[in-house]
Amino acid sequence: WEALRHRAPPEVRARADAAIAAGRLVLPRGRLVGIDAGGERLRCAIAHAGATTTIESDHVLNATGIRLDAGAHPLLADLVARGLALPHPTGLGLAVSPEGVLLGADGARLDGLLAVGAIRQGDCAESTAIAEIAVQARDVALAIAAATTGCAAA
C-alpha cells in the first residue's frame, strides 16, 4: 500500500527522466548493500542477480521503503555497524538532521548520506504521507544543490 499510494506528479517524473537521460541520476537495479564513505566520493555496493557491483556517487538518497528497524535492512544494518548511521532513539528508523542528513554513531552529520520517507519516522511520524515526504524531498534537494554548487540552500 505505501509504495502504491505515493506516485510522482508528471512534472516531477519528467525532471527525473531528464536527469536520468543526462546521466546525473542513476537508478541501478538491485539492492544497495553497503556504502564506503572513506574517499572523495561514496562507493555504493549493489547486489543483483547473485553479483555485487560498485558505483561511485556524490550523494546517496535512502528510499528503501518502510522497514523501520535499522537491523532489519542489510544496508541500514551495515551503516549502523560501521558508525555511518545511528538508530533513532525511538527505534523507528535512523537519526537524521532536520534536512534529512544521517547522523553517525558520534551524532555528527554525515553530509552526502540523506534519507526521505519512512526511515525518518522517529522524527516525523507521518513520514509516509505525501505532504511530509514532499517537504523532506525538497529539503534534501536543497542540501544536494547547495553541496553541488557550493551555495547555501534557500
Side-chain angles (χ1 to χ4, degrees):
W1 168 251
E2 296 292 339
L4 294 176
R5 73 179 179 132
H6 300 301
R7 297 191 188 268
E11 60 275 7
V12 173
R13 183 59 201 214
R15 291 184 75 182
D17 288 343
I20 291 168
R24 293 187 324 271
L25 176 63
V26 179
L27 303 173
R29 178 176 262 181
R31 177 184 289 174
L32 185 59
V33 294
I35 297 176
D36 178 3
E40 289 281 320
R41 301 185 78 204
L42 302 167
R43 293 178 46 85
C44 307
I46 300 170
H48 177 66
T52 300
T53 58
T54 302
I55 62 171
E56 290 190 356
S57 178
D58 292 320
H59 303 281
V60 174
L61 176 64
N62 176 15
T64 55
I66 62 170
R67 287 187 172 161
L68 300 179
D69 175 8
H73 189 283
L75 169 64
L76 303 182
D78 178 64
L79 291 173
V80 169
R82 294 179 23 217
L84 296 175
L86 182 66
H88 193 274
T90 63
L92 298 174
L94 298 176
V96 296
S97 74
E99 304 80 21
V101 177
L102 292 183
L103 303 180
D106 61 358
R109 292 169 52 107
L110 294 167
D111 292 321
L113 295 176
L114 303 139
V116 170
I119 203 64
R120 293 175 62 171
Q121 274 193 307
D123 288 319
C124 180
E126 288 298 318
S127 283
T128 61
I130 196 64
E132 285 76 12
I133 291 172
V135 170
Q136 292 173 12
R138 181 208 61 212
D139 290 347
V140 165
L142 289 172
I144 291 170
T148 303
T149 63
C151 297

